Amino acid sequence: LRVKHSEIPILHHILANISHAQIINMRRAMGKAWERLLYTSYLDLPGMPPDKKQHTGRIANLSSYVGEFGHRDAFVTLMEILEARLRHEQQVHTRVRKRVGVSTTAETEPAAPGV
């Protein structure tokens, strides 16, 4: 559901006109994405009681809402997005360097901070 800024005054009408079928479809779609909207990163704390272990052998997330592990939470999603952006920028940078004839070997690349 997308609502324009100018439609905010009539939002109650827009929401009232959503059909039951549309609501079911939106809920199904949310069922595939809800975990990515929560900040419940996986916690592996020392001294965690054994009853917190799940059938997978992983330790349950103490801050979970419904038993999710946090391996697909909002923090992880943000890190994946940033990693993809960085990877894309590096690919673009490499293509530009090749076009202008600058070597892309490790000898010409600056060392990463702390390396």
mmCIF file with all atom_site columns, all heavy atoms in Angstrom, residues 90-105 108-109:
data_model
loop_
_atom_site.group_PDB
_atom_site.id
_atom_site.type_symbol
_atom_site.label_atom_id
_atom_site.label_alt_id
_atom_site.label_comp_id
_atom_site.label_asym_id
_atom_site.label_entity_id
_atom_site.label_seq_id
_atom_site.pdbx_PDB_ins_code
_atom_site.Cartn_x
_atom_site.Cartn_y
_atom_site.Cartn_z
_atom_site.occupancy
_atom_site.B_iso_or_equiv
_atom_site.pdbx_formal_charge
_atom_site.auth_seq_id
_atom_site.auth_comp_id
_atom_site.auth_asym_id
_atom_site.auth_atom_id
_atom_site.pdbx_PDB_model_num
ATOM 1   N N   . GLN A 1 90  ? 33.090 -1.061 -5.543  1.00 0.00 ? 90  GLN A N   1
ATOM 2   C CA  . GLN A 1 90  ? 34.411 -1.608 -5.865  1.00 0.00 ? 90  GLN A CA  1
ATOM 3   C C   . GLN A 1 90  ? 34.466 -2.096 -7.304  1.00 0.00 ? 90  GLN A C   1
ATOM 4   O O   . GLN A 1 90  ? 35.466 -1.906 -7.995  1.00 0.00 ? 90  GLN A O   1
ATOM 5   C CB  . GLN A 1 90  ? 34.761 -2.743 -4.897  1.00 0.00 ? 90  GLN A CB  1
ATOM 6   C CG  . GLN A 1 90  ? 35.055 -2.265 -3.502  1.00 0.00 ? 90  GLN A CG  1
ATOM 7   C CD  . GLN A 1 90  ? 35.198 -3.394 -2.497  1.00 0.00 ? 90  GLN A CD  1
ATOM 8   O OE1 . GLN A 1 90  ? 34.718 -4.505 -2.708  1.00 0.00 ? 90  GLN A OE1 1
ATOM 9   N NE2 . GLN A 1 90  ? 35.855 -3.101 -1.383  1.00 0.00 ? 90  GLN A NE2 1
ATOM 10  N N   . GLN A 1 91  ? 33.377 -2.703 -7.787  1.00 0.00 ? 91  GLN A N   1
ATOM 11  C CA  . GLN A 1 91  ? 33.333 -3.165 -9.175  1.00 0.00 ? 91  GLN A CA  1
ATOM 12  C C   . GLN A 1 91  ? 33.388 -1.987 -10.138 1.00 0.00 ? 91  GLN A C   1
ATOM 13  O O   . GLN A 1 91  ? 34.101 -2.028 -11.143 1.00 0.00 ? 91  GLN A O   1
ATOM 14  C CB  . GLN A 1 91  ? 32.074 -4.002 -9.415  1.00 0.00 ? 91  GLN A CB  1
ATOM 15  C CG  . GLN A 1 91  ? 32.095 -5.337 -8.722  1.00 0.00 ? 91  GLN A CG  1
ATOM 16  C CD  . GLN A 1 91  ? 30.747 -6.048 -8.747  1.00 0.00 ? 91  GLN A CD  1
ATOM 17  O OE1 . GLN A 1 91  ? 29.743 -5.465 -9.162  1.00 0.00 ? 91  GLN A OE1 1
ATOM 18  N NE2 . GLN A 1 91  ? 30.722 -7.283 -8.283  1.00 0.00 ? 91  GLN A NE2 1
ATOM 19  N N   . VAL A 1 92  ? 32.643 -0.935 -9.828  1.00 0.00 ? 92  VAL A N   1
ATOM 20  C CA  . VAL A 1 92  ? 32.658 0.264  -10.670 1.00 0.00 ? 92  VAL A CA  1
ATOM 21  C C   . VAL A 1 92  ? 34.060 0.863  -10.672 1.00 0.00 ? 92  VAL A C   1
ATOM 22  O O   . VAL A 1 92  ? 34.594 1.220  -11.726 1.00 0.00 ? 92  VAL A O   1
ATOM 23  C CB  . VAL A 1 92  ? 31.612 1.300  -10.195 1.00 0.00 ? 92  VAL A CB  1
ATOM 24  C CG1 . VAL A 1 92  ? 31.810 2.641  -10.878 1.00 0.00 ? 92  VAL A CG1 1
ATOM 25  C CG2 . VAL A 1 92  ? 30.208 0.765  -10.421 1.00 0.00 ? 92  VAL A CG2 1
ATOM 26  N N   . HIS A 1 93  ? 34.668 0.961  -9.514  1.00 0.00 ? 93  HIS A N   1
ATOM 27  C CA  . HIS A 1 93  ? 36.011 1.526  -9.387  1.00 0.00 ? 93  HIS A CA  1
ATOM 28  C C   . HIS A 1 93  ? 37.004 0.708  -10.222 1.00 0.00 ? 93  HIS A C   1
ATOM 29  O O   . HIS A 1 93  ? 37.839 1.275  -10.929 1.00 0.00 ? 93  HIS A O   1
ATOM 30  C CB  . HIS A 1 93  ? 36.427 1.541  -7.915  1.00 0.00 ? 93  HIS A CB  1
ATOM 31  C CG  . HIS A 1 93  ? 37.786 2.098  -7.663  1.00 0.00 ? 93  HIS A CG  1
ATOM 32  N ND1 . HIS A 1 93  ? 38.071 3.431  -7.796  1.00 0.00 ? 93  HIS A ND1 1
ATOM 33  C CD2 . HIS A 1 93  ? 38.937 1.495  -7.295  1.00 0.00 ? 93  HIS A CD2 1
ATOM 34  C CE1 . HIS A 1 93  ? 39.348 3.633  -7.514  1.00 0.00 ? 93  HIS A CE1 1
ATOM 35  N NE2 . HIS A 1 93  ? 39.902 2.467  -7.214  1.00 0.00 ? 93  HIS A NE2 1
ATOM 36  N N   . THR A 1 94  ? 36.894 -0.612 -10.166 1.00 0.00 ? 94  THR A N   1
ATOM 37  C CA  . THR A 1 94  ? 37.795 -1.481 -10.930 1.00 0.00 ? 94  THR A CA  1
ATOM 38  C C   . THR A 1 94  ? 37.601 -1.268 -12.428 1.00 0.00 ? 94  THR A C   1
ATOM 39  O O   . THR A 1 94  ? 38.577 -1.175 -13.177 1.00 0.00 ? 94  THR A O   1
ATOM 40  C CB  . THR A 1 94  ? 37.555 -2.957 -10.555 1.00 0.00 ? 94  THR A CB  1
ATOM 41  O OG1 . THR A 1 94  ? 37.816 -3.119 -9.169  1.00 0.00 ? 94  THR A OG1 1
ATOM 42  C CG2 . THR A 1 94  ? 38.451 -3.880 -11.348 1.00 0.00 ? 94  THR A CG2 1
ATOM 43  N N   . ARG A 1 95  ? 36.349 -1.165 -12.881 1.00 0.00 ? 95  ARG A N   1
ATOM 44  C CA  . ARG A 1 95  ? 36.082 -0.935 -14.308 1.00 0.00 ? 95  ARG A CA  1
ATOM 45  C C   . ARG A 1 95  ? 36.661 0.403  -14.768 1.00 0.00 ? 95  ARG A C   1
ATOM 46  O O   . ARG A 1 95  ? 37.246 0.499  -15.844 1.00 0.00 ? 95  ARG A O   1
ATOM 47  C CB  . ARG A 1 95  ? 34.582 -0.993 -14.589 1.00 0.00 ? 95  ARG A CB  1
ATOM 48  C CG  . ARG A 1 95  ? 34.034 -2.408 -14.613 1.00 0.00 ? 95  ARG A CG  1
ATOM 49  C CD  . ARG A 1 95  ? 32.645 -2.459 -15.219 1.00 0.00 ? 95  ARG A CD  1
ATOM 50  N NE  . ARG A 1 95  ? 31.669 -1.643 -14.519 1.00 0.00 ? 95  ARG A NE  1
ATOM 51  C CZ  . ARG A 1 95  ? 30.833 -2.079 -13.585 1.00 0.00 ? 95  ARG A CZ  1
ATOM 52  N NH1 . ARG A 1 95  ? 30.855 -3.338 -13.220 1.00 0.00 ? 95  ARG A NH1 1
ATOM 53  N NH2 . ARG A 1 95  ? 29.975 -1.262 -13.015 1.00 0.00 ? 95  ARG A NH2 1
ATOM 54  N N   . VAL A 1 96  ? 36.517 1.428  -13.949 1.00 0.00 ? 96  VAL A N   1
ATOM 55  C CA  . VAL A 1 96  ? 37.040 2.752  -14.308 1.00 0.00 ? 96  VAL A CA  1
ATOM 56  C C   . VAL A 1 96  ? 38.555 2.702  -14.388 1.00 0.00 ? 96  VAL A C   1
ATOM 57  O O   . VAL A 1 96  ? 39.153 3.233  -15.331 1.00 0.00 ? 96  VAL A O   1
ATOM 58  C CB  . VAL A 1 96  ? 36.566 3.824  -13.292 1.00 0.00 ? 96  VAL A CB  1
ATOM 59  C CG1 . VAL A 1 96  ? 37.316 5.131  -13.481 1.00 0.00 ? 96  VAL A CG1 1
ATOM 60  C CG2 . VAL A 1 96  ? 35.069 4.030  -13.411 1.00 0.00 ? 96  VAL A CG2 1
ATOM 61  N N   . ARG A 1 97  ? 39.178 2.043  -13.420 1.00 0.00 ? 97  ARG A N   1
ATOM 62  C CA  . ARG A 1 97  ? 40.647 1.946  -13.428 1.00 0.00 ? 97  ARG A CA  1
ATOM 63  C C   . ARG A 1 97  ? 41.131 1.213  -14.674 1.00 0.00 ? 97  ARG A C   1
ATOM 64  O O   . ARG A 1 97  ? 42.136 1.592  -15.268 1.00 0.00 ? 97  ARG A O   1
ATOM 65  C CB  . ARG A 1 97  ? 41.143 1.259  -12.170 1.00 0.00 ? 97  ARG A CB  1
ATOM 66  C CG  . ARG A 1 97  ? 40.980 2.110  -10.918 1.00 0.00 ? 97  ARG A CG  1
ATOM 67  C CD  . ARG A 1 97  ? 41.402 1.334  -9.694  1.00 0.00 ? 97  ARG A CD  1
ATOM 68  N NE  . ARG A 1 97  ? 42.810 1.029  -9.771  1.00 0.00 ? 97  ARG A NE  1
ATOM 69  C CZ  . ARG A 1 97  ? 43.725 1.524  -8.952  1.00 0.00 ? 97  ARG A CZ  1
ATOM 70  N NH1 . ARG A 1 97  ? 43.365 2.329  -7.994  1.00 0.00 ? 97  ARG A NH1 1
ATOM 71  N NH2 . ARG A 1 97  ? 44.980 1.194  -9.083  1.00 0.00 ? 97  ARG A NH2 1
ATOM 72  N N   . LYS A 1 98  ? 40.412 0.169  -15.084 1.00 0.00 ? 98  LYS A N   1
ATOM 73  C CA  . LYS A 1 98  ? 40.806 -0.569 -16.291 1.00 0.00 ? 98  LYS A CA  1
ATOM 74  C C   . LYS A 1 98  ? 40.668 0.310  -17.528 1.00 0.00 ? 98  LYS A C   1
ATOM 75  O O   . LYS A 1 98  ? 41.498 0.265  -18.429 1.00 0.00 ? 98  LYS A O   1
ATOM 76  C CB  . LYS A 1 98  ? 39.970 -1.833 -16.441 1.00 0.00 ? 98  LYS A CB  1
ATOM 77  C CG  . LYS A 1 98  ? 40.370 -2.929 -15.488 1.00 0.00 ? 98  LYS A CG  1
ATOM 78  C CD  . LYS A 1 98  ? 39.520 -4.168 -15.696 1.00 0.00 ? 98  LYS A CD  1
ATOM 79  C CE  . LYS A 1 98  ? 39.927 -5.248 -14.708 1.00 0.00 ? 98  LYS A CE  1
ATOM 80  N NZ  . LYS A 1 98  ? 39.090 -6.450 -14.836 1.00 0.00 ? 98  LYS A NZ  1
ATOM 81  N N   . ARG A 1 99  ? 39.607 1.112  -17.580 1.00 0.00 ? 99  ARG A N   1
ATOM 82  C CA  . ARG A 1 99  ? 39.389 1.996  -18.733 1.00 0.00 ? 99  ARG A CA  1
ATOM 83  C C   . ARG A 1 99  ? 40.495 3.026  -18.880 1.00 0.00 ? 99  ARG A C   1
ATOM 84  O O   . ARG A 1 99  ? 40.889 3.364  -19.987 1.00 0.00 ? 99  ARG A O   1
ATOM 85  C CB  . ARG A 1 99  ? 38.054 2.715  -18.604 1.00 0.00 ? 99  ARG A CB  1
ATOM 86  C CG  . ARG A 1 99  ? 36.952 1.966  -19.268 1.00 0.00 ? 99  ARG A CG  1
ATOM 87  C CD  . ARG A 1 99  ? 35.699 2.825  -19.358 1.00 0.00 ? 99  ARG A CD  1
ATOM 88  N NE  . ARG A 1 99  ? 34.597 1.965  -18.961 1.00 0.00 ? 99  ARG A NE  1
ATOM 89  C CZ  . ARG A 1 99  ? 33.632 2.272  -18.135 1.00 0.00 ? 99  ARG A CZ  1
ATOM 90  N NH1 . ARG A 1 99  ? 33.587 3.467  -17.603 1.00 0.00 ? 99  ARG A NH1 1
ATOM 91  N NH2 . ARG A 1 99  ? 32.701 1.425  -17.832 1.00 0.00 ? 99  ARG A NH2 1
ATOM 92  N N   . VAL A 1 100 ? 40.971 3.540  -17.763 1.00 0.00 ? 100 VAL A N   1
ATOM 93  C CA  . VAL A 1 100 ? 42.005 4.582  -17.839 1.00 0.00 ? 100 VAL A CA  1
ATOM 94  C C   . VAL A 1 100 ? 43.407 3.996  -17.837 1.00 0.00 ? 100 VAL A C   1
ATOM 95  O O   . VAL A 1 100 ? 44.383 4.724  -17.867 1.00 0.00 ? 100 VAL A O   1
ATOM 96  C CB  . VAL A 1 100 ? 41.856 5.631  -16.711 1.00 0.00 ? 100 VAL A CB  1
ATOM 97  C CG1 . VAL A 1 100 ? 40.554 6.381  -16.849 1.00 0.00 ? 100 VAL A CG1 1
ATOM 98  C CG2 . VAL A 1 100 ? 42.003 5.013  -15.344 1.00 0.00 ? 100 VAL A CG2 1
ATOM 99  N N   . GLY A 1 101 ? 43.488 2.657  -17.791 1.00 0.00 ? 101 GLY A N   1
ATOM 100 C CA  . GLY A 1 101 ? 44.787 2.003  -17.913 1.00 0.00 ? 101 GLY A CA  1
ATOM 101 C C   . GLY A 1 101 ? 45.576 1.888  -16.634 1.00 0.00 ? 101 GLY A C   1
ATOM 102 O O   . GLY A 1 101 ? 46.777 1.660  -16.668 1.00 0.00 ? 101 GLY A O   1
ATOM 103 N N   . VAL A 1 102 ? 44.934 2.020  -15.486 1.00 0.00 ? 102 VAL A N   1
ATOM 104 C CA  . VAL A 1 102 ? 45.620 1.875  -14.212 1.00 0.00 ? 102 VAL A CA  1
ATOM 105 C C   . VAL A 1 102 ? 45.510 0.422  -13.777 1.00 0.00 ? 102 VAL A C   1
ATOM 106 O O   . VAL A 1 102 ? 44.453 -0.182 -13.866 1.00 0.00 ? 102 VAL A O   1
ATOM 107 C CB  . VAL A 1 102 ? 44.997 2.798  -13.136 1.00 0.00 ? 102 VAL A CB  1
ATOM 108 C CG1 . VAL A 1 102 ? 45.662 2.604  -11.790 1.00 0.00 ? 102 VAL A CG1 1
ATOM 109 C CG2 . VAL A 1 102 ? 45.077 4.236  -13.571 1.00 0.00 ? 102 VAL A CG2 1
ATOM 110 N N   . SER A 1 103 ? 46.617 -0.128 -13.315 1.00 0.00 ? 103 SER A N   1
ATOM 111 C CA  . SER A 1 103 ? 46.625 -1.530 -12.886 1.00 0.00 ? 103 SER A CA  1
ATOM 112 C C   . SER A 1 103 ? 45.674 -1.728 -11.714 1.00 0.00 ? 103 SER A C   1
ATOM 113 O O   . SER A 1 103 ? 45.533 -0.867 -10.855 1.00 0.00 ? 103 SER A O   1
ATOM 114 C CB  . SER A 1 103 ? 48.036 -1.943 -12.467 1.00 0.00 ? 103 SER A CB  1
ATOM 115 O OG  . SER A 1 103 ? 48.015 -3.239 -11.944 1.00 0.00 ? 103 SER A OG  1
ATOM 116 N N   . THR A 1 104 ? 45.028 -2.880 -11.676 1.00 0.00 ? 104 THR A N   1
ATOM 117 C CA  . THR A 1 104 ? 44.110 -3.185 -10.577 1.00 0.00 ? 104 THR A CA  1
ATOM 118 C C   . THR A 1 104 ? 44.661 -4.288 -9.688  1.00 0.00 ? 104 THR A C   1
ATOM 119 O O   . THR A 1 104 ? 43.941 -4.887 -8.908  1.00 0.00 ? 104 THR A O   1
ATOM 120 C CB  . THR A 1 104 ? 42.741 -3.628 -11.124 1.00 0.00 ? 104 THR A CB  1
ATOM 121 O OG1 . THR A 1 104 ? 42.932 -4.764 -11.974 1.00 0.00 ? 104 THR A OG1 1
ATOM 122 C CG2 . THR A 1 104 ? 42.060 -2.513 -11.868 1.00 0.00 ? 104 THR A CG2 1
ATOM 123 N N   . THR A 1 105 ? 45.952 -4.570 -9.785  1.00 0.00 ? 105 THR A N   1
ATOM 124 C CA  . THR A 1 105 ? 46.536 -5.625 -8.961  1.00 0.00 ? 105 THR A CA  1
ATOM 125 C C   . THR A 1 105 ? 46.688 -5.161 -7.529  1.00 0.00 ? 105 THR A C   1
ATOM 126 O O   . THR A 1 105 ? 46.643 -3.973 -7.221  1.00 0.00 ? 105 THR A O   1
ATOM 127 C CB  . THR A 1 105 ? 47.910 -6.050 -9.513  1.00 0.00 ? 105 THR A CB  1
ATOM 128 O OG1 . THR A 1 105 ? 48.769 -4.906 -9.467  1.00 0.00 ? 105 THR A OG1 1
ATOM 129 C CG2 . THR A 1 105 ? 47.802 -6.583 -10.923 1.00 0.00 ? 105 THR A CG2 1
ATOM 130 N N   . THR A 1 108 ? 49.056 -2.204 -6.394  1.00 0.00 ? 108 THR A N   1
ATOM 131 C CA  . THR A 1 108 ? 48.713 -0.789 -6.547  1.00 0.00 ? 108 THR A CA  1
ATOM 132 C C   . THR A 1 108 ? 47.567 -0.365 -5.645  1.00 0.00 ? 108 THR A C   1
ATOM 133 O O   . THR A 1 108 ? 47.285 0.800  -5.524  1.00 0.00 ? 108 THR A O   1
ATOM 134 C CB  . THR A 1 108 ? 48.319 -0.475 -8.008  1.00 0.00 ? 108 THR A CB  1
ATOM 135 O OG1 . THR A 1 108 ? 47.197 -1.273 -8.340  1.00 0.00 ? 108 THR A OG1 1
ATOM 136 C CG2 . THR A 1 108 ? 49.466 -0.746 -8.957  1.00 0.00 ? 108 THR A CG2 1
ATOM 137 N N   . GLU A 1 109 ? 46.899 -1.329 -5.017  1.00 0.00 ? 109 GLU A N   1
ATOM 138 C CA  . GLU A 1 109 ? 45.782 -1.010 -4.138  1.00 0.00 ? 109 GLU A CA  1
ATOM 139 C C   . GLU A 1 109 ? 46.303 -0.624 -2.769  1.00 0.00 ? 109 GLU A C   1
ATOM 140 O O   . GLU A 1 109 ? 47.227 -1.258 -2.240  1.00 0.00 ? 109 GLU A O   1
ATOM 141 C CB  . GLU A 1 109 ? 44.835 -2.234 -3.987  1.00 0.00 ? 109 GLU A CB  1
ATOM 142 C CG  . GLU A 1 109 ? 44.150 -2.619 -5.273  1.00 0.00 ? 109 GLU A CG  1
ATOM 143 C CD  . GLU A 1 109 ? 43.144 -1.581 -5.732  1.00 0.00 ? 109 GLU A CD  1
ATOM 144 O OE1 . GLU A 1 109 ? 42.504 -0.948 -4.854  1.00 0.00 ? 109 GLU A OE1 1
ATOM 145 O OE2 . GLU A 1 109 ? 43.001 -1.393 -6.931  1.00 0.00 ? 109 GLU A OE2 1
#
